[in-house]
Amino acid sequence: MDETDETTDRGGTANRVDRDRTDSEASPAGHTSRRRVVAGSGAALATAALGGVPSAAAQSGDTRTVLVVGCQGTGTITLADATTYEHIEDFDSSPGEDSPPLTDPIKKIAKPIIDSVAGRPNVCEHVNVSPDGETLYVSRANLGDTVAIDMRTREIEWRTEMLGFRSDHAKITPDGDYLYQADILADKVWKIDTDTGEKVDYFEAEDWPHGTHVHEDRIINGSLGSILLPDEIDGNHRLTFADRETLEVTKTIDFEEGVRPFAFADDDETVYVQISYMHGFHEVDVSSGEIERTKDLPINENVPDSKEDYPLQSAHHGIEVSPDGQYICAAGTTGNYAAVVDRESFETVGITDVGKYPYWVSNAPDGEHAFVSVKNEAKISVIEYETAEEVATIPTGDYPMVTQVADVPEAALGTGRKVTDPDDGLFGGLFD
């Protein structure tokens, strides 16, 4: 593994149209800015650390702490109570085969090709929720766009097209101002204004940027390398660190295979990284770029004999560190299990069979459980960190993946409303 410190001007400053914003600024469309300052209370900060970004309104009693699940197969969004695990509702984030993106002739050609490469349709790669719980952002994968959906009216407010025809993982900033969206086939991570959907800047992350994390002073992306090419010539697989203000790339850490999900410890200088084809994960020191320890997890009878049969090269896909820093929960994808590892000793606490293809891990709001998305079982498995046991399951739409805990207004829950997708014209914002 190679590590490089660098400062570059590849952040696309020639295209930069960023600007200062205030809490009261209205967007050109007349919407109030979605920027919300995270409350300084311990409860609010704890919820933010668990993947939600609550507003002060979260303490008013008019919201509920909700698990938001993005399901890849049909774009279903599943909402469930994050504390009781009660299913609330499902709705479709990509209504109908004649959704406006597919009225574009280029998309008509591109989407079936991308579906074929991915092995099946995928119209929901990632979900993010605004700090006030009013807006859902969906990275719609093979549709090649990212959309903002009003949680109350379920109307799509804006759509932003990717240059590379596929919208991958994304992450919202804690204040809700910007969304960092991986444009996987264009080797870019876009900075998107959440009010307008405007792409205001970007940095390059090679090759095939995938998962993205947002920290106080930096953005981190993990790249896969091209899954279409032989390993010997598939490009870079690395963590790319970019300054959050300037988007200048300041550091890269290279790995032997594609970077899959990764999770940081609370010191922000230790990262746990899953790698394509690897059954387990690395513990990496960010400052030195060196692998400190490697945790090998079991290869059981469920694992395909040939690596070519791994789902998109993923032996394991999904990892999280418990809020207290004591445990690591890893999704043993091809082994059909969830594993809990003691972070200090690196000993395995336990392994639980959860069904075919666990594929994402996030923390529950109590800090004592992890939510594990089990793709081929259409469920969330709730794993207790201390015992590594499954204590509950939550039904979802087809192929659940990314989850986020967020405080959502009660008025936006269980309404039965369908998403509406007004046509914004031929080619949308592709060439904006």
Side-chain angles (χ1 to χ4, degrees), residues 311-327:
L312 295 176
Q313 303 180 351
S314 297
H316 287 187
H317 193 288
I319 192 167
E320 186 58 279
V321 178
S322 63
D324 62 8
Q326 186 174 351
Y327 301 108

Side-chain angles (χ1 to χ4, degrees), residues 278-300:
M278 178 183 179
H279 298 265
F281 54 87
H282 295 310
E283 179 186 75
V284 179
D285 178 82
V286 172
S287 296
S288 67
E290 296 297 323
I291 295 174
E292 299 292 326
R293 294 185 290 181
T294 294
K295 177 62 177 179
D296 294 315
L297 290 169
I299 301 175
N300 61 24

Side-chain angles (χ1 to χ4, degrees), residues 223-425:
S223 63
L224 299 175
S226 173
I227 65 173
L228 301 179
L229 298 174
D231 288 349
E232 298 78 13
I233 57 170
D234 66 350
N236 297 306
H237 341 89
R238 57 174 45 154
L239 290 175
T240 297
F241 296 75
D243 184 275
R244 186 166 156 186
E245 291 299 319
T246 66
L247 294 193
E248 292 181 344
V249 174
T250 58
K251 177 191 287 284
T252 59
I253 302 176
D254 288 274
F255 295 85
E256 67 274 17
E257 296 287 357
V259 176
R260 298 296 171 162
F262 53 99
F264 282 83
D266 53 9
D267 62 7
D268 209 31
E269 289 298 327
T270 304
V271 60
Y272 298 92
V273 185
Q274 293 175 317
I275 301 296
S276 295
Y277 307 116
M278 178 183 179
H279 298 265
F281 54 87
H282 295 310
E283 179 186 75
V284 179
D285 178 82
V286 172
S287 296
S288 67
E290 296 297 323
I291 295 174
E292 299 292 326
R293 294 185 290 181
T294 294
K295 177 62 177 179
D296 294 315
L297 290 169
I299 301 175
N300 61 24
E301 67 279 0
N302 297 315
V303 176
D305 292 333
S306 171
K307 291 183 178 180
E308 293 182 359
D309 294 327
Y310 288 8
L312 295 176
Q313 303 180 351
S314 297
H316 287 187
H317 193 288
I319 192 167
E320 186 58 279
V321 178
S322 63
D324 62 8
Q326 186 174 351
Y327 301 108
I328 300 164
C329 183
T333 304
T334 54
N336 300 346
Y337 61 76
V340 176
V341 174
D342 184 278
R343 186 171 157 237
E344 181 177 0
S345 69
F346 244 38
E347 294 296 320
T348 302
V349 175
I351 290 176
T352 298
D353 188 316
V354 294
K356 191 170 184 179
Y357 291 170
Y359 221 74
W360 196 262
V361 183
S362 64
N363 284 318
D366 63 8
E368 298 177 357
H369 297 86
F371 294 124
V372 179
S373 303
V374 189
K375 285 180 76 170
N376 286 38
E377 306 292 341
K379 72 173 185 178
I380 301 296
S381 175
V382 184
I383 300 295
E384 185 179 52
Y385 273 113
E386 186 175 8
T387 64
E389 294 179 353
E390 182 183 81
V391 298
T393 61
I394 303 169
T396 68
D398 292 339
Y399 300 109
M401 192 175 172
V402 171
T403 55
Q404 182 184 343
V405 173
D407 291 311
V408 177
E410 283 283 359
L413 300 175
T415 65
R417 294 190 183 98
K418 295 182 179 181
V419 170
T420 56
D421 197 358
D423 192 347
D424 64 348

Side-chain angles (χ1 to χ4, degrees), residues 57-348:
Q59 309 302 318
S60 69
D62 295 327
T63 65
R64 196 189 319 185
T65 303
V66 171
L67 178 67
V68 182
V69 185
C71 303
Q72 291 184 329
T74 58
T76 299
I77 305 299
T78 293
L79 304 179
D81 190 298
T83 56
T84 67
Y85 314 138
E86 176 188 3
H87 179 272
I88 299 172
E89 67 173 318
D90 296 328
F91 63 89
D92 188 353
S93 63
S94 179
E97 294 183 359
D98 294 325
S99 186
L102 295 188
T103 65
D104 296 350
I106 294 178
K107 286 291 188 66
K108 286 277 193 182
I109 298 171
K111 185 179 181 296
I113 295 173
I114 296 173
D115 284 348
S116 177
V117 170
R120 58 176 172 75
N122 176 359
V123 292
C124 181
E125 184 73 5
H126 209 108
V127 290
N128 285 271
V129 181
S130 62
D132 58 9
E134 297 282 356
T135 308
L136 173 70
Y137 304 97
V138 183
S139 306
R140 300 201 302 181
N142 301 358
L143 286 176
D145 64 20
T146 300
V147 297
I149 300 174
D150 186 297
M151 285 290 286
R152 294 177 187 258
T153 67
R154 303 285 165 84
E155 180 176 340
I156 291 180
E157 297 182 327
W158 54 252
R159 177 188 307 108
T160 298
E161 307 280 350
M162 296 297 106
L163 291 177
F165 303 107
R166 190 181 191 282
S167 183
D168 212 80
H169 291 294
K171 193 68 176 177
I172 196 169
T173 55
D175 58 18
D177 277 358
Y178 298 104
L179 187 73
Y180 288 90
Q181 173 66 65
D183 191 342
I184 187 168
L185 299 182
D187 288 342
K188 300 180 187 301
V189 177
W190 294 102
K191 181 180 183 179
I192 297 176
D193 186 310
T194 56
D195 278 341
T196 65
E198 180 182 15
K199 293 181 285 192
V200 298
D201 205 355
Y202 68 89
F203 66 93
E204 294 184 1
E206 299 174 340
D207 291 284
W208 286 38
H210 193 47
T212 300
H213 286 231
V214 174
H215 289 193
E216 182 178 357
D217 59 353
R218 58 193 179 184
I219 311 297
I220 307 98
N221 178 269
S223 63
L224 299 175
S226 173
I227 65 173
L228 301 179
L229 298 174
D231 288 349
E232 298 78 13
I233 57 170
D234 66 350
N236 297 306
H237 341 89
R238 57 174 45 154
L239 290 175
T240 297
F241 296 75
D243 184 275
R244 186 166 156 186
E245 291 299 319
T246 66
L247 294 193
E248 292 181 344
V249 174
T250 58
K251 177 191 287 284
T252 59
I253 302 176
D254 288 274
F255 295 85
E256 67 274 17
E257 296 287 357
V259 176
R260 298 296 171 162
F262 53 99
F264 282 83
D266 53 9
D267 62 7
D268 209 31
E269 289 298 327
T270 304
V271 60
Y272 298 92
V273 185
Q274 293 175 317
I275 301 296
S276 295
Y277 307 116
M278 178 183 179
H279 298 265
F281 54 87
H282 295 310
E283 179 186 75
V284 179
D285 178 82
V286 172
S287 296
S288 67
E290 296 297 323
I291 295 174
E292 299 292 326
R293 294 185 290 181
T294 294
K295 177 62 177 179
D296 294 315
L297 290 169
I299 301 175
N300 61 24
E301 67 279 0
N302 297 315
V303 176
D305 292 333
S306 171
K307 291 183 178 180
E308 293 182 359
D309 294 327
Y310 288 8
L312 295 176
Q313 303 180 351
S314 297
H316 287 187
H317 193 288
I319 192 167
E320 186 58 279
V321 178
S322 63
D324 62 8
Q326 186 174 351
Y327 301 108
I328 300 164
C329 183
T333 304
T334 54
N336 300 346
Y337 61 76
V340 176
V341 174
D342 184 278
R343 186 171 157 237
E344 181 177 0
S345 69
F346 244 38
E347 294 296 320
T348 302

Side-chain angles (χ1 to χ4, degrees), residues 21-26 32-33:
R21 308 196 323 175
T22 66
D23 290 359
S24 60
E25 180 186 9
T32 301
S33 173

